[in-house]
Amino acid sequence: MTDILVELNSAQREAVEAISGPVLILAGPGSGKTRVITHRVAYLIKVCGISPRHIMAVTFTNKAAREMKERLYRLVGGQVKDLTLGTFHAICARILRMDGKGIGVDPRFVIYDEEDQESLLKRSIGEVGLDPKQYAPRAIASAIRAAKVRTLTPKDYVERSRSYFEEVVSRVYERYQQLLTESNALDFDDLLMKAVQLFRNSPETLSRYQTRYQHIQVDEFQDTNLVQYELIRQLGGKYGNICVVGDPDQSIYSWRFADLRNILSFEKDYPKAKLILLEQNYRSTKKILETAFHVISASPERKPKGLWTKNESGELATVVETYTEQEEAQFVVNEIERLVNQGKVSLGGCAVMYRTNAQSRALEEAFVRYGTPYKLVAGTRFYQRREIKDIIAYLKLIHNPYDTVSLLRIINVPQRGIGQQTLARLSGWAKSMGISQYEALRLISEPKDDKQSFSPHIARALVGFLNLMEEFIARSRELNLVDLLDLVTERSGYREYILGQPDGEERWENILELRTVAQQYRDLKPAEGLSAFLEGVTLVSDVDGLDETVDAVTLITLHQAKGLEFPVVFIVGMEDGILPHIKSFDDPEQLEEERRLCYVGITRAKQRVYLVHAFRRSLMGSSTVNKPSRYLSDIPQHLISSGGWWQGEERQIATAIYSWDKPSASVPITQGFKAGDHVRHDQFGDGVVVSCQPGKDDSEVVVVFKGVGVKKLSLSFAHLEKVE
DNA sequence: CGAAAGGCTCTTTTT
DNA sequence: GAGCCTTTCG
């Protein structure tokens, strides 16, 4: 019993023991908030005797949920399986599949990701008679999302619209929602909104859930939005045992409508809430914390908060400027190799963080070139690859033939002679009959029907596709997921099709990778396996795939890095225009969010931080010159060790070549060399040192020899003489 | 209908 | 620099 409390400090212990009533925990980075939630749940189960069935814990990512589950397993054993533990979206999806019928949600619904959403939105814009090019789908999508976060139905929205734009949005929103319903699909925001609507419409259902969830904990509370807040308020309505944990300084998702005011609302809605501050940091050195503190406290809006550590003082943050993003990447790789060779850190202990995904390319290239192992947290994210989405579309359609987005995606992939014209006619015809497109296909296949006007060979193509899908649907009732997937890729002709494409081999490998994922669902009953798999692949987050056991450098966006920690952290692209991103320049609130993002990055580090910026960087094809990030100037000089101006290998070589012709008295040398030193080698003759890297028990020297070229030599064998 | 070629616009961050 | 869309031609 006591072992649950024994490893906690007094504030943490207080947070764990405050099990009745609302609790607000404000927890700085590295202060053990995940630990607090985990131990709190364990305490509820083991000490208070609460059944895990009555406990809910909401995390930000599936990975966080999985880790919490593992930790809890160690504390309470097999009982973890009865907990409700997951992201808001996953939990809501489950609620809606169980109980959504009351508000017209069919339990077989599919979930539309952003891409599906965009495609449906474009259609909606067209169908209400507007030009998708004139009304940016993104802007409308964002407005609709904002509406859903406030649980406004299209009807509510119409009543509130005050401007022409809102008028447009309300029309599109209405049609979009209709199309979703017809497709038996929900988008990400629907999952949350519909759950809240369900509870509003059905007090009995709500009461059932309220009775079940006697204890609710929410992690990363600073990044919840209004609809998530409402959901928690509803669920906790009976017992009020709600524990939320967050850090306003780490709020970085306002663009997803996360709202810091939730923290204020919490204090207002639950005036008796117990406030607990976790201020002791166990992660970082004093200097890192101090550096981070200077960055965050330059914010005008912020409430001051304490954060301290007993850890050692540590080393200064290193600020380095390079010429281009390629040299930035080279610097990072070189520095990591150096630290690793010196035994200061393992590859897995290093992370490179950046503001935008596009920045990963230069880094990846450098890592590949130097042969340094790395793991990229989902570049062009796996599940968004075309071939993966295609296969998933087949499976979605098998699961739910009303899914028009998936139908349109694959009806002609591989080509079956079904073109735009045909599709337009099909969808018009289906609409006029008030049936789904899939049902329309079924009608065409019935020989007696001749009202449709498709020419025989086109009708044959359509029916061919229908028969294919019908076969899949029939077989899906008996085949396990892997066999079904194999059947689909074979019989649809997709395998042959993709192998004939450029990069076909690689794309096919990706599908095999998807097959590996499917294997986890192999042993479930056919219908269950398919539905669980589809939900799993739609609700994955990028960090979910991060494998901690692989010893390789992590390449990750600053957003994804939230909640993680590494001994050594490089933040690259420390430039105005990148961090803060140029899009935030005209909005002070967004600039503050960028600052917090920088803060999040620095506080991921346990031992060392590097802040790297490039003088010149190519962005969207063309080259730009950026000033060093304004956040760098918020760090006082005494906390910075300047790595100065760093030149990449090629430019070092160029510099070396320009400085030939020096006098030639030779001096033997036993220690290392530095770049620019003139040397003589028995075999290669005179040269100039480009770099000299200390290794485990030897050093590697790179030298350009006159008339010979560049050679990599090991210091102890090369017999280099220094030439003064 | 479909393949190929050329022109356009963007990229913030993600469940 | 890539992916999307349109246009053009077979």
Side-chain angles (χ1 to χ4, degrees):
Chain A
M1 135 160 192
T2 41
D3 53 330
I4 292 174
L5 294 173
V6 81
E7 315 161 295
L8 304 172
N9 69 31
S10 63
Q12 289 173 335
R13 186 177 304 192
E14 195 189 348
V16 167
E17 289 178 316
I19 56 154
S20 62
V23 183
L24 170 61
I25 303 173
L26 294 180
S31 61
K33 64 187 162 76
T34 312
R35 181 188 193 81
V36 162
I37 298 182
T38 316
H39 283 246
R40 204 182 136 93
V41 171
Y43 183 81
L44 284 168
I45 296 171
K46 282 199 102 166
V47 179
C48 310
I50 312 257
S51 158
R53 263 185 51 79
H54 294 308
I55 302 172
M56 171 185 285
V58 188
T59 57
F60 196 68
T61 62
N62 296 300
K63 176 168 178 280
R66 204 170 50 224
E67 279 169 8
M68 194 175 288
K69 203 168 261 177
E70 278 161 19
R71 285 207 212 178
L72 274 167
Y73 186 82
R74 270 175 258 138
L75 292 167
V76 304
Q79 286 186 290
V80 286
K81 71 175 198 312
D82 295 324
L83 283 167
T84 298
L85 177 54
T87 64
F88 274 107
H89 290 87
I91 290 172
C92 286
R94 212 157 87 191
I95 293 174
L96 289 170
R97 287 203 204 278
M98 296 291 288
D99 294 293
K101 285 185 212 89
I103 52 163
V105 174
D106 180 307
R108 294 175 70 85
F109 68 84
V110 292
I111 301 169
Y112 279 176
D113 67 15
E114 208 128 312
E115 196 188 334
D116 304 330
Q117 190 183 353
E118 194 186 312
S119 119
L120 199 61
L121 198 60
K122 278 186 188 151
R123 191 132 63 85
S124 315
I125 296 173
E127 286 191 15
V128 298
L130 299 167
D131 178 5
K133 255 164 277 163
Q134 227 164 359
Y135 298 91
R138 309 173 116 249
I140 295 181
S142 176
I144 291 178
R145 245 176 275 141
K148 289 187 174 177
V149 163
R150 292 184 291 154
T151 45
L152 298 177
T153 61
K155 220 186 253 158
D156 300 331
Y157 197 90
V158 175
E159 285 163 19
R160 280 159 201 255
S161 62
R162 295 277 176 277
S163 66
Y164 182 64
F165 178 71
E166 284 173 349
E167 171 68 28
V168 166
V169 170
S170 70
R171 282 162 62 197
V172 177
Y173 183 17
E174 188 180 10
R175 183 67 193 136
Y176 172 70
Q177 245 9 57
Q178 276 170 4
L179 288 175
L180 277 174
T181 309
E182 283 171 21
S183 301
N184 194 6
L186 302 183
D187 67 19
F188 285 143
D189 306 293
D190 281 342
L191 293 173
L192 307 170
M193 181 178 78
K194 299 257 175 185
V196 166
Q197 284 174 343
L198 167 68
F199 290 145
R200 279 191 192 153
N201 284 11
S202 167
E204 312 87 75
T205 314
L206 174 59
S207 165
R208 219 170 67 234
Y209 279 92
Q210 284 178 332
T211 308
R212 168 151 182 196
Y213 292 116
Q214 297 170 9
H215 293 271
I216 299 171
Q217 10 279 313
V218 184
D219 198 4
E220 309 285 8
F221 188 63
Q222 77 281 354
D223 285 322
T224 53
N225 60 31
L226 212 59
V227 64
Q228 292 167 332
Y229 183 84
E230 177 61 15
L231 192 73
I232 292 303
R233 216 182 51 82
Q234 288 177 326
L235 286 171
K238 184 165 177 196
Y239 291 95
N241 299 325
I242 307 172
C243 170
V244 300
V245 189
D247 178 6
D249 291 337
Q250 293 185 67
S251 130
I252 54 175
Y253 282 93
S254 73
W255 49 275
R256 228 169 65 184
F257 303 106
D259 198 333
L260 261 184
R261 282 175 298 182
N262 280 354
I263 291 183
L264 303 175
S265 305
F266 191 84
E267 289 181 292
K268 203 172 344 139
D269 288 349
Y270 306 94
K272 294 206 190 109
K274 188 167 203 171
L275 176 68
I276 296 170
L277 303 175
L278 300 183
E279 296 178 312
Q280 181 176 359
N281 172 296
Y282 292 93
R283 178 185 298 154
S284 311
T285 65
K286 287 197 176 69
K287 287 210 171 107
I288 288 171
L289 231 43
E290 217 184 317
T291 306
F293 171 79
H294 281 281
V295 169
I296 196 69
S297 56
S299 170
E301 291 297 309
R302 171 180 182 266
K303 254 201 249 174
K305 184 173 69 198
L307 191 62
W308 57 278
T309 183
K310 287 184 190 163
N311 291 346
E312 57 172 3
S313 170
E315 293 179 74
L316 299 170
T318 308
V319 176
V320 174
E321 175 165 29
T322 66
Y323 187 55
T324 59
E325 76 266 30
Q326 283 80 16
E327 291 188 6
E328 178 181 67
Q330 265 180 42
F331 166 75
V332 170
V333 180
N334 284 177
E335 193 64 16
I336 288 173
E337 290 283 355
R338 195 177 67 87
L339 293 172
V340 171
N341 285 338
Q342 288 174 352
K344 295 213 168 130
V345 70
S346 66
L347 288 170
C350 301
V352 191
M353 301 180 186
Y354 37 83
R355 178 65 178 83
T356 65
N357 279 306
Q359 288 171 261
S360 67
R361 185 180 301 134
L363 290 162
E364 262 193 287
E365 281 167 7
F367 275 91
V368 169
R369 192 144 38 92
Y370 287 85
T372 305
Y374 70 95
K375 48 194 159 177
L376 182 69
V377 178
T380 322
R381 298 191 276 287
F382 181 72
Y383 290 102
Q384 289 183 196
R385 288 169 199 268
R386 205 185 67 217
E387 61 276 17
I388 299 299
K389 285 222 63 171
D390 286 345
I391 295 300
I392 290 176
Y394 273 101
L395 295 173
K396 272 183 167 173
L397 196 60
I398 292 168
H399 179 67
N400 167 22
Y402 293 96
D403 178 350
T404 43
V405 170
S406 296
L407 175 91
L408 292 176
R409 183 180 182 103
I410 46 128
I411 192 166
N412 200 34
V413 180
Q415 294 93 302
R416 304 185 172 94
I418 303 170
Q420 285 307 312
Q421 294 288 326
T422 307
L423 287 176
R425 208 183 300 167
L426 177 69
S427 100
W429 187 56
K431 203 175 160 190
S432 71
M433 315 244 306
I435 54 174
S436 76
Q437 313 204 8
Y438 195 82
E439 284 166 322
L441 286 180
R442 278 192 180 135
L443 277 188
I444 294 170
S445 74
E446 288 166 19
K448 62 183 189 316
D449 191 284
D450 54 0
K451 284 187 209 64
Q452 36 87 9
S453 52
F454 294 104
S455 67
H457 85 276
I458 290 194
R460 207 176 307 126
L462 290 170
V463 171
F465 176 73
L466 176 77
N467 290 340
L468 182 71
M469 288 311 299
E470 294 285 289
E471 181 193 338
F472 291 160
I473 291 169
R475 301 292 309 274
S476 76
R477 299 200 182 97
E478 69 206 40
L479 292 180
N480 71 49
L481 187 61
V482 178
D483 292 341
L484 180 65
L485 197 145
D486 289 342
L487 180 75
V488 167
T489 49
E490 250 348 284
R491 288 278 293 128
S492 68
Y494 198 88
R495 186 176 71 94
E496 213 178 326
Y497 157 77
I498 205 74
L499 284 170
Q501 299 273 308
D503 308 324
E505 290 288 340
E506 195 187 327
R507 291 177 182 278
W508 176 245
E509 297 283 316
N510 288 332
I511 292 173
L512 292 179
E513 182 69 35
L514 183 70
R515 191 177 183 276
T516 315
V517 177
Q519 277 168 352
Q520 294 162 20
Y521 299 83
R522 185 180 230 155
D523 298 332
L524 293 175
K525 274 186 258 147
E528 259 170 56
L530 180 56
S531 124
F533 174 74
L534 289 176
E535 186 149 318
V537 296
T538 323
L539 294 181
V540 279
S541 56
D542 287 331
V543 277
D544 291 349
L546 189 62
D547 186 351
E548 253 103 40
T549 60
V550 178
D551 186 32
V553 180
T554 301
L555 270 45
I556 193 169
T557 67
L558 287 160
H559 282 90
Q560 294 165 341
K562 188 176 70 161
L564 306 179
E565 60 178 30
F566 301 89
V568 176
V569 169
F570 292 78
I571 303 179
V572 298
M574 285 295 297
E575 296 140 44
D576 267 19
I578 304 287
L579 183 67
H581 195 271
I582 191 160
K583 290 255 166 175
S584 60
F585 279 4
D586 49 8
D587 180 353
E589 283 194 17
Q590 279 194 51
L591 277 171
E592 286 319 298
E593 182 150 314
E594 298 285 305
R595 177 187 295 289
R596 293 193 292 269
L597 203 45
C598 183
Y599 176 74
V600 167
I602 296 172
T603 53
R604 299 308 92 200
K606 297 160 103 166
Q607 302 293 332
R608 291 200 68 149
V609 179
Y610 292 82
L611 305 169
V612 195
H613 57 104
F615 169 70
R616 208 158 65 77
R617 175 182 302 274
S618 46
L619 274 172
M620 281 193 279
S622 55
S623 171
T624 52
V625 171
N626 294 321
K627 282 191 281 192
S629 171
R630 61 192 69 185
Y631 307 133
L632 284 173
S633 44
D634 293 323
I635 306 170
Q637 275 306 312
H638 72 270
L639 286 172
I640 293 176
S641 142
S642 175
W645 167 262
W646 191 84
Q647 288 189 355
E649 209 168 77
E650 280 173 28
R651 283 156 41 75
Q652 289 181 34
I653 291 169
T655 313
I657 290 169
Y658 285 123
S659 54
W660 287 126
D661 305 328
K662 290 267 163 134
S664 55
S666 62
V667 183
I669 193 153
T670 45
Q671 295 139 355
F673 297 96
K674 62 180 191 303
D677 283 348
H678 286 248
V679 291
R680 180 166 298 156
H681 185 268
D682 296 345
Q683 202 186 328
F684 302 131
D686 285 351
V688 178
V689 174
V690 169
S691 68
C692 181
Q693 297 219 352
K696 278 184 206 75
D697 26 45
D698 202 349
S699 288
E700 184 187 76
V701 195
V702 179
V703 186
V704 203
F705 291 100
K706 215 170 184 168
V708 177
V710 183
K711 293 280 170 196
K712 273 188 188 174
L713 306 164
S714 80
L715 186 61
S716 52
F717 294 107
H719 301 299
L720 283 172
E721 282 176 298
K722 188 165 181 176
V723 181
E724 291 295 335

